[in-house]
Amino acid sequence: QVQLVESGGGLVQAGGSLRLSCAASGFIFSIYTMGWYRQAPGNQRELVATTTPGSSTNYTDSVKGRFTISRDNAKKMVYLQMNSLEPEDTAVYYCNARRVGANYWGQGTQVTVSS
């Protein structure tokens, strides 16, 4: 079955870095757009970054220049390198895989940035 398993979340001070990883299985990883989304308490889930099958990337404005999304099709992994973290980045981060007719989510990993 389809699985997306996130790891790498935790508590970090403002200005610090974290690297999130998402291990995918159960589908043809290379043909899916992979993404990271986040949801803070009381807020809707929002897009953070995506990477297409051709490795084109897209970022929400608030993380441009600080976060980098990447994928390894051979390992079926997607990563989110987060630098210069801010308290406003505190949220549960979710891995997503989507294409026409399919949309999968991981269980999420908590990222907490202290000021």
Side-chain angles (χ1 to χ4, degrees), residues 11-68:
L11 174 64
V12 64
Q13 287 189 331
S17 298
L18 284 173
R19 188 193 193 207
L20 304 184
S21 299
C22 173
S25 61
F27 61 99
I28 305 173
F29 180 86
S30 61
I31 66 173
Y32 278 70
T33 291
M34 299 300 298
W36 288 96
Y37 290 71
R38 66 187 179 186
Q39 187 168 17
N43 290 357
Q44 291 188 335
R45 192 172 297 187
E46 64 172 356
L47 169 71
V48 176
T50 59
T51 175
T52 67
S55 296
S56 296
T57 59
N58 180 58
Y59 299 91
T60 193
D61 285 347
S62 63
V63 308
K64 286 180 180 177
R66 300 189 298 122
F67 291 10
T68 303

